[in-house]
């Protein structure tokens, strides 16, 4: 007796395929719960606001630090800044070789001071380079070495504020956090007291160099290319 062919099981009809969603992703956001604004516009507005606050922080950092210069003139104050200014003038006038072989009889009296082996020359070189660059740029930009040395701490404070923004933004991935850190850095007393105009000491540019180094280090960790560019 022949076997009857196996009966195919009745399968339930497949559900109707869902229609393809060809609609574009929603790129708009509701402003104040009423007006729909494209996200690209909201992003652009947010970036403009962040940029405005960053510029405010940098300008405010410079303005606060130049208050003494506006009130009392371009005067170097305190003891170490006066020696640093003398050393800067000596470097500018006599050059590198004489500077590192200079024995200053007016310091550490009565012993004197071998300047070349007891100084951190970064401050002096920074000021001399800025002074010569401004001189090279023409009469409109020309500035006396005294005024450059008075401005260096204020320039350092403003630069440190900017690099703090870059460092925080890179570390957190948030531009808002970077702006907040820049505002704090612009007005924090511990930094202001070491970078006030006329306070021509090593810390005035050392803080900028430290924060810049931290930023370059964190930035170099992003990828291999960054490691070569920022790491070096």
């Amino acid at each position: 007796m022949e076997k009857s062919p196996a009966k195919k099981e009745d399968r339930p009809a497949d559900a109707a395929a869902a229609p393809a969603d060809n609609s574009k992703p929603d790129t708009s956001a509701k402003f104040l719960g009423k007006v729909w604004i494209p996200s690209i516009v909201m992003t652009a507005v947010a970036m403009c606001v962040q940029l405005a606050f960053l510029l405010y922080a940098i300008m405010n950092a410079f303005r606060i630090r130049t208050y003494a210069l506006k009130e009392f003139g371009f005067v170097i104050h305190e003891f170490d800044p006066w020696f640093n200014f003398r050393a800067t003038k000596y470097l500018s006038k006599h050059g590198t070789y004489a500077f590192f072989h200079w024995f200053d009889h007016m310091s550490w009296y009565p012993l004197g001071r071998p300047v070349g082996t007891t100084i951190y020359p970064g401050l002096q070189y920074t000021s001399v380079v800025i002074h010569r660059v401004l001189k090279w740029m023409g009469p409109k930009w020309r500035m006396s070495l005294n005024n450059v040395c008075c401005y260096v701490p204020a320039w350092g404070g403003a630069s440190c504020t900017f690099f703090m923004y870059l460092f925080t933004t890179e570390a957190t991935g948030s531009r808002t956090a970077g702006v907040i850190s820049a505002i704090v850095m612009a007005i924090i007393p511990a930094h202001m007291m070491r970078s006030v105009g006329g306070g021509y000491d090593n810390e005035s540019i050392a803080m900028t160099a430290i924060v810049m180094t931290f930023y370059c280090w964190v930035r170099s960790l992003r990828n291999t290319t960054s490691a070569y560019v920022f790491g070096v």
Side-chain angles (χ1 to χ4, degrees):
M1 188 172 179
E2 293 184 0
K3 291 183 179 180
S4 60
K7 207 172 186 179
K8 293 184 179 178
E9 297 180 0
D10 295 333
R11 296 181 182 177
D14 294 332
D21 186 9
N22 295 325
S23 59
K24 295 182 179 179
D26 187 14
T27 58
S28 60
K30 211 168 187 179
F31 182 67
L32 296 179
K34 296 180 180 179
V35 183
W36 288 94
I37 300 177
S39 294
I40 189 171
V41 176
M42 295 290 289
T43 303
V45 171
M47 291 180 65
C48 289
V49 172
Q50 291 166 348
L51 178 61
F53 275 101
L54 175 61
L55 293 176
Y56 171 77
I58 295 173
M59 294 173 62
N60 206 39
F62 181 78
R63 182 184 62 82
I64 293 173
R65 287 160 175 79
T66 55
Y67 175 79
L69 303 180
K70 295 175 182 177
E71 286 292 314
F72 308 108
F74 291 84
V75 179
I76 302 289
H77 53 82
E78 299 183 28
F79 300 105
D80 286 348
W82 265 110
F83 169 76
N84 291 328
F85 177 54
R86 286 183 54 244
T88 304
K89 289 195 297 183
Y90 192 93
L91 173 63
S92 179
K93 182 177 180 180
H94 299 285
T96 297
Y97 182 84
F99 178 74
F100 282 106
H101 291 81
W102 174 33
F103 191 88
D104 184 19
H105 295 278
M106 296 179 64
S107 300
W108 296 355
Y109 184 83
L111 299 176
R113 176 177 181 177
V115 176
T117 57
T118 60
I119 194 174
Y120 300 105
L123 181 65
Q124 286 73 28
Y125 272 95
T126 300
S127 301
V128 170
V129 169
I130 293 174
H131 176 249
R132 293 185 178 179
V133 169
L134 292 176
K135 185 178 180 181
W136 172 78
M137 291 174 65
K140 183 179 179 181
W141 297 90
R142 194 165 297 168
M143 190 182 297
S144 68
L145 187 59
N146 176 81
N147 290 5
V148 169
C149 294
C150 287
Y151 269 128
V152 160
W155 290 334
S159 302
C160 187
T161 300
F162 174 67
F163 280 111
M164 179 57 73
Y165 162 78
L166 294 179
F167 174 46
T168 306
T169 301
E170 183 66 29
T172 64
S174 169
R175 287 190 296 267
T176 301
V179 171
I180 293 174
S181 69
I183 294 174
V184 172
M185 195 66 179
I187 61 175
I188 191 169
H191 185 223
M192 282 197 301
M193 67 181 292
R194 307 309 302 175
S195 58
V196 66
Y200 184 59
D201 212 344
N202 295 309
E203 293 87 351
S204 60
I205 64 169
M207 283 300 301
T208 304
I210 290 172
V211 177
M212 181 177 65
T213 302
F214 286 160
Y215 164 68
C216 290
W217 175 62
V218 173
R219 180 65 177 80
S220 69
L221 300 177
R222 186 183 295 184
N223 51 49
T224 305
T225 305
S226 299
Y228 285 108
V229 175
F230 290 91
V232 175

